[in-house]
């Protein structure tokens, strides 16, 4: 049961932030970090937890998740309740989801609708990006209102999926110009959607229907072209820009060049691009539908460039793009999921799960293999996402006055991943059967213990909407 005591002291843990690494006591009181010091003395009203041998990390901040997101005729299979519970077990205490502007409503309507669904379910704190699919004078007015009065300061736009979510260059430019001037951020899905649609049509006309053709019709060069175009639009607008799910060196080389020129370009990659490569697509097996995400997995050589960019800050964030769809049709009542595309790869909903395994998988393949320092690990998974999207210093660090979102992590433990042991509604994990080093032991949300080993102490609706401020990373 959750403790009824007024405060909690984490004693003798190894505190890791983006810049620090030291052993200390951390006192959490009234939802925030109250005191950090050595051998702190506390009264009997304080619960004391011995964290000797454990890392004390800031709760993870995942700025790219899709919970209850409608995608064509179906919906991602995690609710706000199941998805945020899975996030908590994975050491993530803040997520930023998406409110989709439909053809008939405004960004403000999208925010209100998504909040209504989320507020009674979320088990961790959350915020929203708005997906803007139509731009006119009224939409721009609503965007400005959302930034100044709703605490929503980031907006996603698509250069892919024509006729569904794709925005033209002029619309992207108008959004960049206004949002950037107001201190916010436009996040861009960069792929050349019209050429991809042509390649898909040609593949299907040639009888190529299996899932592996998803990757073959979305080549890296089209991610690179769209990334370059997005950068130039941002440069003209004199605005910052953020690229989601960067998967290839074709895109990355334009980001590196632009940053060297002083253009405020930021970008994320995702764990699946670091864990897997395009060798998974070498058959016509329907199981490959598990790996149908956008962009698709790239070659192992691209992974080398992604790791280099993570080390040298040309990529600033590792987010999950958790976009789960079930492999088994009808699992938990979900329909039109991955098997919708068994006879036509273009009908497979794009996306994969990952919200619960982000921290431990990156600790295993990044920190334990010497690719990332502990400080950089925290920077990529908590601090910089919080800074870029206006959550810092409330979120993303361990400091006096910050929210007491704290993870106790055992670097010496190991675990074997199985979908049946995870908390997502998704019926598979890309990491099935893989043994990883490191384990989340305890998770605190604003000082409340919500995960204690395998025990769930949190509850639906305890998460709060977090209004966000201006970009803080440059």
């Amino acid at each position: 049961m959750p403790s009824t005591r007024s405060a909690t002291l984490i004693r003798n843990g190894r505190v890791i932030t983006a810049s620090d690494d030291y052993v200390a006591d951390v006192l959490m009181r009234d939802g925030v970090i109250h005191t950090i010091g050595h051998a702190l003395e506390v009264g009997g009203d304080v619960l004391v937890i011995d964290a000797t041998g454990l890392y004390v990390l800031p709760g993870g901040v995942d700025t790219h998740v899709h919970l209850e997101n409608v995608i064509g005729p179906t919906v991602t299979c995690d609710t706000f309740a199941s998805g945020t519970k899975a996030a908590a077990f994975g050491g993530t205490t803040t997520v930023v989801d998406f409110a989709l502007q439909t053809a008939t409503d405004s960004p403000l309507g999208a925010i209100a609708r998504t909040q209504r669904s989320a507020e009674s379910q979320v088990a961790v704190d959350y915020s929203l990006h708005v997906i803007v699919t139509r731009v006119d004078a009224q939409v721009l007015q609503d965007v400005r209102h959302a930034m100044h009065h709703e605490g929503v300061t980031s907006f996603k736009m698509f250069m892919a999926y024509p006729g569904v979510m794709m925005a033209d260059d002029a619309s992207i430019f108008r959004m960049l110009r206004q949002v950037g001037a107001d201190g916010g951020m436009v996040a861009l899905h960069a792929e050349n959607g019209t050429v991809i649609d042509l390649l898909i049509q040609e593949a299907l006309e040639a009888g190529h229907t299996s899932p592996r053709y998803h990757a073959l019709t979305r080549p890296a060069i089209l991610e690179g072209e769209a990334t370059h175009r997005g950068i130039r639009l941002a440069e003209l607008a004199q605005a910052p820009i953020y690229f989601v799910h960067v998967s290839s060196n074709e895109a990355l080389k334009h980001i590196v060049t632009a940053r060297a020129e002083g253009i405020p370009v930021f970008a994320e990659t995702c764990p699946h691009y670091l864990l897997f490569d395009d060798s998974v697509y070498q058959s016509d097996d329907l199981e490959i539908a598990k790996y149908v995400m956008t962009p698709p997995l790239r070659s192992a050589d691209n992974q080398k460039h992604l790791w280099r960019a993570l080390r040298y800050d040309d990529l600033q964030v590792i987010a999950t793009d958790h976009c789960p769809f079930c492999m088994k049709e009808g699992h938990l009542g979900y329909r039109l999921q991955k098997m919708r595309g068994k006879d036509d790869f273009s009908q497979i909903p794009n996306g994969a799960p990952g919200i619960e395994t982000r921290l431990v998988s990156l600790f295993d393949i990044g920190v334990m293999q010497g690719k990332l320092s502990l400080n950089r690990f925290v920077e990529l998974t908590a601090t910089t996402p919080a800074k870029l999207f206006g959550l810092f210093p409330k979120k993303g660090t361990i400091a006096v006055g910050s929210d007491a979102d704290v993870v106790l992590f055992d670097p010496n433990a190991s675990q074997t991943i199985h979908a049946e042991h995870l908390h997502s509604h998704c019926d598979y994990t890309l990491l099935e059967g893989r043994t990883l080093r490191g384990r989340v032991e305890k998770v605190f949300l604003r000082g409340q213990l919500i995960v204690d080993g395998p025990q769930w102490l949190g509850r639906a609706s305890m998460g709060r909407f977090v209004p966000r401020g201006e970009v803080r990373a440059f």
Side-chain angles (χ1 to χ4, degrees):
M1 294 294 293
S3 171
T4 56
R5 302 189 195 186
S6 64
T8 301
L9 179 70
I10 299 171
R11 192 176 293 285
N12 204 37
R14 183 176 168 187
V15 178
I16 311 291
T17 70
S19 56
D20 299 310
D21 184 343
Y22 56 87
V23 174
D25 298 346
V26 178
L27 177 64
M28 303 181 291
R29 188 187 294 276
D30 298 326
V32 300
I33 295 173
H34 182 276
T35 310
I36 301 173
H38 289 287
L40 295 178
E41 295 185 7
V42 294
D45 64 329
V46 176
L47 174 66
V48 178
I49 294 175
D50 183 6
T52 302
L54 302 180
Y55 294 156
V56 182
L57 308 175
V61 178
D62 191 345
T63 52
H64 191 157
V65 305
H66 297 273
L67 307 177
E68 298 186 18
N69 280 197
V70 175
I71 311 288
T74 192
V75 62
T76 53
C77 66
D78 268 321
T79 63
F80 283 105
S82 67
T84 54
K85 181 178 179 180
F89 271 98
T92 290
T93 53
T94 306
V95 298
V96 187
D97 206 302
F98 295 89
L100 173 63
Q101 173 204 22
T102 67
T104 57
D105 72 358
S106 74
L108 299 179
I111 293 167
R113 184 175 61 251
T114 308
Q115 287 178 322
R116 282 194 299 271
S117 182
E119 63 184 7
S120 63
Q121 299 188 66
V122 287
V124 301
D125 288 353
Y126 81 105
S127 193
L128 296 170
H129 312 287
V130 176
I131 296 175
V132 175
T133 57
R134 184 186 75 258
V135 177
D136 56 32
Q138 183 61 52
V139 167
L140 290 173
Q141 183 176 324
D142 291 343
V143 163
R144 179 159 282 155
H145 181 91
M147 292 187 66
H148 293 298
H149 301 287
E150 303 295 333
V152 174
T153 55
S154 53
F155 303 86
K156 185 179 182 182
M157 302 187 78
F158 285 79
M159 304 174 89
Y161 306 115
V164 182
M165 287 187 285
M166 191 177 94
D168 61 39
D169 289 356
S171 296
I172 293 169
F173 173 73
R174 292 178 77 187
M175 280 288 292
L176 281 164
R177 184 170 56 184
Q178 177 176 298
V179 172
D182 287 353
M185 184 86 82
V186 170
L188 205 56
H189 175 131
E191 290 183 295
N192 188 313
T194 55
V195 177
I196 287 169
D197 267 19
L198 174 63
L199 295 178
I200 290 171
Q201 179 185 343
E202 290 175 347
L204 293 173
E205 288 173 352
H208 301 314
T209 61
S210 69
R212 71 188 182 99
Y213 285 93
H214 170 77
L216 295 174
T217 55
R218 303 187 94 93
I221 193 170
L222 295 182
E223 183 186 4
E225 183 277 330
T227 301
H228 179 260
R229 184 159 33 104
I231 289 169
R232 294 308 162 203
L233 292 173
E235 182 181 24
L236 181 63
Q238 298 183 329
I241 191 167
Y242 181 91
F243 289 96
V244 296
H245 48 49
V246 172
S247 69
S248 67
N249 191 45
E250 286 283 354
L252 188 58
K253 64 186 181 183
H254 297 296
I255 294 168
V256 172
T257 298
R259 287 176 60 82
E261 294 172 354
I263 302 170
V265 177
F266 306 96
E268 70 184 26
T269 192
C270 307
H272 42 262
Y273 299 122
L274 304 169
L275 286 157
F276 305 97
D277 61 45
D278 62 0
S279 62
V280 304
Y281 298 126
Q282 300 307 307
S283 82
D284 289 313
D285 197 307
L286 283 175
E287 284 293 298
I288 289 173
K290 292 178 179 178
Y291 301 97
V292 170
M293 72 278 287
T294 303
L297 301 172
R298 306 299 191 188
S299 70
D301 183 64
N302 281 284
Q303 287 181 333
K304 296 176 184 176
H305 291 285
L306 294 177
W307 281 116
R308 182 208 57 75
L310 289 168
R311 284 195 300 273
Y312 293 105
D313 203 41
D314 288 314
L315 289 171
Q316 297 77 39
V317 173
I318 301 177
T320 58
D321 191 9
H322 177 76
C323 191
F325 300 96
C326 298
M327 284 293 290
K328 182 180 178 181
E329 186 68 9
H331 179 70
L332 298 181
Y334 287 99
R335 302 288 177 184
L336 301 175
Q337 300 272 294
K338 290 287 189 177
M339 286 302 100
R340 175 172 177 253
K342 61 185 177 62
D343 299 316
D344 177 351
F345 72 89
S346 71
Q347 299 302 306
I348 301 170
N350 299 179
I355 201 168
E356 191 167 343
T357 54
R358 179 178 66 137
L359 291 189
V360 68
S361 63
L362 293 171
F363 180 80
D364 181 81
I365 66 170
V367 177
M368 295 303 293
Q369 295 186 25
K371 295 183 175 75
L372 300 173
S373 69
L374 279 169
N375 300 117
R376 185 65 177 153
F377 169 68
V378 170
E379 194 171 20
L380 289 162
T381 58
T383 309
T384 300
K387 286 181 175 179
L388 279 170
F389 291 104
L391 292 160
F392 186 85
K394 184 179 180 70
K395 305 292 186 182
T397 192
I398 294 176
V400 173
S402 295
D403 279 2
D405 299 342
V406 176
V407 174
L408 300 188
F409 188 89
D410 187 347
N412 298 310
S414 63
Q415 58 183 308
T416 301
I417 305 298
H418 297 289
E420 62 181 325
H421 298 153
L422 300 177
H423 299 84
S424 167
H425 281 170
C426 196
D427 60 351
Y428 77 94
T429 169
L430 298 179
L431 292 164
E432 184 67 39
R434 186 160 176 165
T435 299
L436 302 175
R437 289 162 292 184
R439 186 172 63 215
V440 171
E441 296 293 347
K442 296 181 190 293
V443 179
F444 298 85
L445 175 69
R446 287 177 271 107
Q448 300 180 68
L449 182 61
I450 60 173
V451 171
D452 189 2
Q455 210 176 357
W456 176 238
L457 303 177
R459 67 183 189 280
S461 81
M462 71 181 297
R464 297 175 182 170
F465 178 77
V466 185
R468 293 180 287 119
E470 294 187 3
V471 173
R472 294 285 300 275
F474 66 98

